[in-house]
Amino acid sequence: MKFKEVYFATTNLHKFKEAEKIFSKYGLNLKHLNFKTAEIQSENLEKIAKNSLNQVLSQHKIPVFVEDAGLFIKVLNGFPGPYSSYVFKTIGLKGILNLLGKTRNREAFFLSVIAFGSPSGEQKIFTGKVLGKITFKIRGLGGFGFDPIFQPKNHKKTFGQMDVEEKNRFSHRAKAVKKLVKWLLFKEKL
Ligand code: IMP
C-alpha cells in the first residue's frame, strides 16, 4: 500500500465497520479515529467532506479520510441531500414517509463522498452512488440512518434488512471505499 496505516475519522461505528470489512477483503487494516468534526452548511457534499478532512488534518498528521453521505429523493427535488443528518434527527424515517405519503414515484439515491488526505498535503476525492427507492413502510432493524426505508434498485430487501456484507455489495459507501482502496493499493487513475 501507498501508506503504512490509514485512518477513518468518524464517530459513526456503522460506517467504520462497513469500510473496515472492505479494507480487510483487500488485506488491509483500517484504523479508527474517533473524531467529531463541526459539519459546515453547504449544498455540496464534496465541500463538506473537504472541510471536515482539513479539520482532522489540522490536529492529526496521519493519512486519513472522512466520509459524508446524503439521501436524495427525486420527487422532493433531491431533499434532504446534504441536510440528511439534520432531517434524520428532526423528522426521521416517519417524517420522510409522511412527506411522500402515497406518492408512487419513490425514486431516490444515496451519494457518498470520501475525502482522503495525508500529511504531505496530497488530497483525493472518491464518490459512490446507489439508486433505489423509498419504501412505503419501515422495514428491518439493521444498519443505521435511513437504511430501513431505502431499497436498492433490483433488490427486494431494504438496507435495514441486510447485514453489513450484503449492504456492501450495493451501497454508495462501499463503492467509494473500493475506489479509495484500489487507489491506495494500485494508485489507479480514477
Ligand atoms: P452523514 O454522512 O453522517 O452526514 O449522514 C447524513 C445522514 O444520512 C445521517 O442521518 C445518516 O444517518 C444518513 N446516512 C448516511 N449514510 C447512510 C447509509 O449508508 N444508510 C442510511 N442512512 C445513511
Side-chain angles (χ1 to χ4, degrees), residues 73-79 99-100 103-107:
I73 302 175
K74 196 169 182 182
V75 289
L76 302 179
N77 295 327
F79 179 85
L99 274 179
L100 290 182
T103 312
R104 296 215 64 81
N105 179 356
R106 309 184 74 87
E107 278 174 58

Side-chain angles (χ1 to χ4, degrees), residues 10-28:
T10 180
T11 53
N12 184 330
L13 279 179
H14 292 277
K15 285 189 177 186
F16 179 73
K17 287 209 175 100
E18 289 177 17
E20 190 187 30
K21 278 229 180 302
I22 295 166
F23 268 66
S24 77
K25 270 214 168 109
Y26 286 86
L28 301 180

